Amino acid sequence: MSRLMSVDVECVANGRGHNDRCVAHVAVVDGESEEVVLDVKIRQTEEVFSYLEPITGLTAADFNESNPDNNIISMDELHVILKDILGDDVLLVGQGIDSDINWLSLRQGVHFEEKRDLAQDFKAFNPKYGRYNFHSLQATAETLLGVNMAGSHNPAIDAIVSIQLYKKFVRPGNKRTMKEAHKKLIRTRNRPSVAKQLDYQCDGVCMAKFFKKKCICGQH
């Protein structure tokens, strides 16, 4: 039986483009206990253009290595730790999990056996418009779990919520529950994302990777 785990990554900006990002904060959560087994900041080797604080909750103070509470490590150290706590028997769950896998250079057969993208699981067909609606992790958690996730992201909380959503709705045997979840998501009007509230810009950094009309960097 696969070990259930979730990993979540937050990035800071090292340029103005929506692709100009560096891994900054990483968390891993055990699926059965829902305990955080890793929560670290990553030492920045490039100049940070913006910490994207409204989204990440991070500031320069979080990367002050004189404060041991910041728990800062290098990417090389992170890779060693991830190889130890993950493994080829892991079912990796998360919202847009492919992005986290790519940021962390995780490999199937080494760091995980299977992966599950909650964005795909919770997409719901909207008969009014004849198309599928995709929902953010924030919207899905608030609608289905009653969890208030307003404000900046915390990767540990995101990973815990991902585990809870998977266990309650996605895990095999929950087909009826998932059908009701889709209906509820379609009926609920969600609050705008932080990126949308900021008009897809923060500190002069483009945040419109998935909204070409609002892109100010031309990296599409």
Side-chain angles (χ1 to χ4, degrees), residues 2-50:
S2 297
R3 288 188 294 139
L4 178 63
M5 303 195 81
S6 182
V7 59
D8 193 82
V9 175
E10 289 298 325
C11 294
V12 294
N14 61 348
R16 292 182 180 275
H18 57 242
N19 292 325
D20 299 332
R21 302 289 188 270
C22 291
V23 175
H25 193 179
V26 179
V28 180
V29 170
D30 176 79
E32 297 310 318
S33 67
E34 299 182 12
E35 291 183 357
V36 179
V37 296
L38 182 70
D39 188 352
V40 293
K41 311 292 193 323
I42 305 304
R43 184 175 298 117
Q44 298 302 296
T45 58
E46 299 182 38
E47 183 178 355
V48 176
F49 186 86
S50 170

Side-chain angles (χ1 to χ4, degrees), residues 12-197:
V12 294
N14 61 348
R16 292 182 180 275
H18 57 242
N19 292 325
D20 299 332
R21 302 289 188 270
C22 291
V23 175
H25 193 179
V26 179
V28 180
V29 170
D30 176 79
E32 297 310 318
S33 67
E34 299 182 12
E35 291 183 357
V36 179
V37 296
L38 182 70
D39 188 352
V40 293
K41 311 292 193 323
I42 305 304
R43 184 175 298 117
Q44 298 302 296
T45 58
E46 299 182 38
E47 183 178 355
V48 176
F49 186 86
S50 170
Y51 290 94
L52 305 176
E53 183 182 358
I55 296 172
T56 66
L58 298 171
T59 68
D62 292 304
F63 297 88
N64 180 353
E65 300 208 33
S66 65
N67 183 351
D69 292 337
N70 284 338
N71 200 12
I72 300 168
I73 64 174
S74 70
M75 281 296 289
D76 286 342
E77 290 171 312
L78 175 66
H79 288 149
V80 172
I81 295 170
L82 290 175
K83 193 170 182 180
D84 182 52
I85 62 179
L86 299 176
D88 61 4
D89 61 340
V90 167
L91 169 57
L92 208 53
V93 171
Q95 178 87 358
I97 192 66
D98 282 338
S99 294
D100 300 292
I101 288 171
N102 291 335
W103 280 119
L104 300 176
S105 301
L106 303 182
R107 289 181 291 155
Q108 191 167 18
V110 176
H111 299 97
F112 64 96
E113 179 183 16
E114 298 178 80
K115 59 183 179 178
R116 194 79 190 218
D117 184 357
L118 297 180
Q120 293 295 325
D121 286 313
F122 288 103
K123 71 178 183 181
F125 185 74
N126 189 330
K128 182 177 179 180
Y129 299 104
R131 68 187 183 198
Y132 282 94
N133 286 3
F134 285 84
H135 308 275
S136 67
L137 182 65
Q138 174 193 32
T140 305
E142 289 184 352
T143 301
L144 302 180
L145 299 177
V147 177
N148 186 348
M149 297 183 69
S152 59
H153 291 262
N154 180 306
I157 293 174
D158 286 0
I160 291 171
V161 166
S162 293
I163 290 293
Q164 292 173 343
L165 286 167
Y166 174 82
K167 291 199 295 189
K168 186 170 182 178
F169 298 99
V170 182
R171 182 175 270 172
N174 293 352
K175 186 175 181 179
R176 179 179 294 180
T177 307
M178 178 59 89
K179 188 175 181 179
E180 292 303 313
H182 284 165
K183 290 180 180 179
K184 192 170 184 179
L185 285 166
I186 289 295
R187 292 195 303 264
T188 304
R189 183 177 180 84
N190 299 311
R191 77 177 82 206
S193 67
V194 175
K196 185 174 183 178
Q197 292 175 46

